[in-house]
Every structure is written in structure tokens, then in C-alpha cells.
Amino acid sequence: NKGRTWKPGKWHKEKAVKDMAREELNILEVKKEPYALKFTGLDGKATDFAQLRGKVVALYFWNSTNKGSTDRLAQLLQIHAAYKKRGFELVTVSADKAEDREKLQKFVKDNRVNVPIYYDGKIYKNDFGPKLNVYGVPRLMVFDQKGILQTTIQGGPVGRLQADLPQNQLEGMIKRMLNIK
């Protein structure tokens, strides 16, 4: 520490280490209490995570121009259709740019996307994306019936979901959380 003084928010001179620590703290904070998210969707309907308590909720960040994330959305919509009546909800966040609103709306209509979609045109700089460490798509988060974050899955370099939970295990995880045999 010769010649260096501590400044608020500057615990380590290496940005990568500081960023990694911040991201870990973000997730720990989200896992402490039920997640709060309220928004008016692309379709004009209100969505409130508090009203989804008692259900397993997947929060999916995607972009209508990213094939990896749209392919995964199609799979998630199938899982949602299969388990919606048993207590599974899918809520999505579009990371499309402001100038791509019409492309997004066309994609939603053409693909009959019938789940809540948050869209503000700010890509990843909305009010909650940075708090959830969302800096790219696809990104999936699964919350339990109490609204507590259980796991996150992020896109890899080739658009495959990987990290905490392999994508082929998502349906099994949902079944376990819903106690479906």
C-alpha cells in the first residue's frame, strides 16, 4: 500500500477484481429477500413480482436480434406452456435498442410471445439490469415461490446458456421446485 490511499469505492486497483466483487455482492443482495420488480409491459399490462409469490418465476433477458437468445426464448415458452397451470411463470426483459422497438414488436407478434415483456430501449442500463449483473444476453434467473433468486444462467460466447445450471436441467429444476414428480 505504499503511496496509495484508500478512497470510497476503490478497494482494489484492479478493475476486473473490483467488478467481480461487485457482481458477487449484487447477487448476494438479491438472494437476501424476495425480489421486487414492477413494470408495465410492452403490451401495456402491469407485472408485479409480488403478485407472483407462490409461483416459480423465470426472468429471462433477451434481444430480438440475437438468434441464441430468441432460440432459447422459444424453448422457455414451451416449458412455460407445459407448467404454467402448475405454478410456473415466465417474465422477460427485452434488451433491444430504442430504435429497434418496431423489430421487437414484429418479432413478438410473429412468434406469438404471450408472456410479460419489459422494454425501455435502454438495453442493459435500465433500473434493475446492473443490479442483476446483466451485461449481455441471453441471461436467465430463476426465483422460488418466495421470490428469492435461486440460480442464474448466462449466455456463453456462442449464445449457449451455461454457468450455474446447464440448460437441459432447467425443466428438472422447475419440476423439483414445484414438487412435480
Side-chain angles (χ1 to χ4, degrees), residues 5 54 64 66 80 107:
T5 56
S64 66
N66 178 295
H80 179 249
F107 178 88

Side-chain angles (χ1 to χ4, degrees), residues 30-56:
V30 174
K31 287 184 173 186
K32 281 184 180 178
E33 58 188 51
Y35 188 64
L37 176 64
K38 287 183 181 183
F39 65 86
T40 300
L42 190 62
D43 61 1
K45 295 179 183 174
T47 297
D48 183 351
F49 262 44
Q51 293 179 351
L52 298 176
R53 299 289 185 266
K55 299 180 180 193
V56 171

